[in-house]
Amino acid sequence: MGKSFTCIALLATLAVFEAAVLVAAFGGPLQYVPNYGAELSFLEMQAPVKDGLAWGFYAKSCPKAEQIVADRVAAFLKNDAGVAPGLLRLFFHDCFVQGCDGSILLKISSGTELDDPANGSIRKVALDLIDDAKANIEKACPGVVSCADIVVLAGRESVKQTGGPAYNVPLGRRDSFTFSPSTNDLPPPTFSFQQQLDSFQKKNLDATDLVALSGAHTLGVAQCGSFSNRLRPSVDPKLNKDYAKFLINTCPTDNTAKTTGLDFFTPNKFDNIYYKNFATGGTLLTSDQNLDQNAQALNLVKFYASNQTAFFNQFLWSYIKMSQIGPKFNNDGEIRKKCTTTNSGRISPTEISEEIISMVVDGRDSM
């Protein structure tokens, strides 16, 4: 009896400790919401989800939605490997400005988020894929699936289909009526570690999230201007000498219109080579190299370099966490018919007109 009581007490203590860790990680009270059909892993079951989002949100109202997005990503990847990092960047740039609300997709004559220089790296093929996926989903179940959710799903698929982990994401976001006139929250590739961390903490993301999400740079390419500061006026001593010579030959001037892989060795595969590059002087961007300015971050870099599974597990956790930045619900958003415009066809970057607010039944009320 005494041993049993001690065991129960220990389990209870561990449960309280685990709950405290989760609260600290997500910055608020735990809110576990309904699951409408997703088969969750142990890690996913531990992830708190904001009230309003749900696992398997479209299981009844649009059961083919997630598969349609997966199919369109697969089709685009056959023609352009760059669509995967393009989708991840689109996800990051959407969520970091005014929340994961599809605001980056809006296009109007008076200007959009895409006009900001910080979004100059957003690839047209990624935007085209979102429009294509939306059109196909509208045929299957019109007026049900938001563009914001499609961006989150497409980013998830870009990871899975390039060799990364497969995971679920909570859904149920609505699309914004507005876009932000400023993208100042997006950290540039020259930021120090502390500057990056400050940017992430404003979004309720911590140092572990920063290191894990930076691992997305295992995919894609960078333009010469984004790393030229490491080559001129003098070569950064942290760069591998042979790698530095390659970069100088690729980018003889700051304005050379060329690109090179963020991960020199496997730029089209989602793996942990990005972290291994730290040990060989093969890290490209200043912001990435600056992860070594913090002891905790550098220890995580070394850990993920030696344990790809640990990186994958943390990445999916941090992706789920990031996808919950500022989602729109109910009258704060709508389900756009086209991702590039509000349903009214009018938009303001600073104010919302009451007459453009619309309610779209997502089908869950009859479940």
Side-chain angles (χ1 to χ4, degrees):
M1 180 67 178
K3 291 184 178 180
S4 298
F5 179 80
T6 301
C7 183
I8 293 173
L10 177 60
L11 290 173
T13 300
L14 289 174
V16 171
F17 174 75
E18 182 180 79
V21 170
L22 292 173
V23 170
F26 278 75
L30 306 185
Q31 293 182 336
Y32 293 95
V33 297
N35 177 359
Y36 292 102
E39 295 183 9
L40 302 180
S41 68
F42 175 78
L43 276 175
E44 291 161 354
M45 286 189 287
Q46 306 310 304
V49 177
K50 284 189 176 180
D51 190 22
L53 298 175
W55 303 104
F57 187 87
Y58 300 110
K60 184 174 181 180
S61 58
C62 192
K64 295 182 179 180
E66 295 196 35
Q67 188 58 52
I68 289 173
V69 174
D71 290 344
R72 300 322 299 152
V73 172
F76 273 64
L77 271 174
K78 287 182 180 179
N79 298 319
D80 187 350
V83 72
L87 290 170
L88 274 177
R89 184 163 295 173
L90 185 66
F91 163 71
F92 179 87
H93 281 225
D94 184 38
C95 293
F96 243 65
V97 175
Q98 63 175 34
C100 305
D101 61 0
S103 62
I104 196 172
L105 305 173
L106 291 169
K107 298 177 183 178
I108 59 171
S109 59
S110 61
T112 69
E113 285 180 18
L114 288 171
D115 294 329
D116 192 286
N119 282 326
S121 59
I122 297 297
R123 297 198 62 190
K124 183 178 183 298
V125 66
L127 298 168
D128 290 343
L129 186 148
I130 300 299
D131 288 340
D132 181 79
K134 175 64 173 176
N136 279 276
I137 288 176
E138 284 296 301
K139 292 177 182 177
C141 39
V144 173
V145 182
S146 70
C147 299
D149 275 347
I150 293 174
V151 170
V152 173
L153 287 169
R156 184 271 306 273
E157 284 301 317
S158 71
V159 173
K160 175 184 176 182
Q161 295 190 31
T162 54
Y167 53 96
N168 290 287
V169 286
L171 302 169
R173 301 161 191 79
R174 286 177 177 264
D175 299 317
S176 67
F177 297 113
T178 66
F179 68 92
S180 173
S182 171
T183 60
N184 290 337
D185 285 349
L186 289 170
T190 55
F191 260 15
S192 67
F193 173 81
Q194 190 58 51
Q195 287 173 314
Q196 292 180 77
L197 183 59
D198 290 345
S199 296
F200 271 61
Q201 288 178 332
K202 289 179 182 177
K203 307 300 180 182
N204 196 34
L205 299 170
D206 59 26
T208 303
D209 298 315
L210 169 57
V211 177
L213 292 170
S214 294
H217 285 169
T218 187
L219 294 175
V221 298
Q223 299 172 338
C224 290
S226 64
F227 56 85
S228 60
N229 64 303
R230 301 194 71 192
L231 305 177
R232 286 174 286 273
S234 60
V235 175
D236 186 335
K238 291 184 178 180
L239 277 174
N240 178 286
K241 291 182 179 180
D242 291 331
Y243 185 43
K245 290 179 182 178
F246 164 79
L247 294 177
I248 291 172
N249 289 332
T250 302
C251 303
T253 69
D254 294 354
N255 298 321
T256 303
K258 289 186 178 180
T259 61
T260 188
L262 287 164
D263 167 9
F264 178 81
F265 297 100
T266 57
N268 297 325
K269 183 179 180 181
F270 196 96
D271 54 27
N272 69 335
I273 300 298
Y274 163 86
Y275 299 103
K276 293 179 182 291
N277 288 337
F278 279 79
T280 60
T283 303
L284 183 62
L285 300 180
T286 297
S287 55
D288 288 332
Q289 184 64 63
N290 285 343
L291 294 182
D292 70 4
Q293 294 178 342
N294 177 272
Q296 177 191 357
L298 184 57
N299 285 335
L300 285 171
V301 166
K302 294 176 180 178
F303 180 47
Y304 297 152
S306 64
N307 191 326
Q308 182 167 273
T309 298
F311 163 50
F312 281 6
N313 287 342
Q314 183 58 52
F315 185 88
L316 74 85
W317 179 275
S318 295
Y319 188 101
I320 291 170
K321 185 175 175 182
M322 183 174 176
S323 76
Q324 298 183 62
I325 298 174
K328 305 295 188 294
F329 302 115
N330 303 318
N331 286 357
D332 289 334
E334 65 178 357
I335 308 297
R336 293 186 208 141
K337 296 176 183 177
K338 292 185 177 181
C339 293
T340 55
T341 183
T342 61
N343 292 340
S344 71
R346 292 179 294 147
I347 183 175
S348 165
T350 56
E351 61 183 18
I352 302 175
S353 174
E354 287 295 330
E355 60 190 88
I356 73 172
I357 295 178
S358 61
M359 292 290 290
V360 179
V361 177
D362 60 38
R364 291 194 305 136
D365 60 327
S366 59
M367 294 186 73

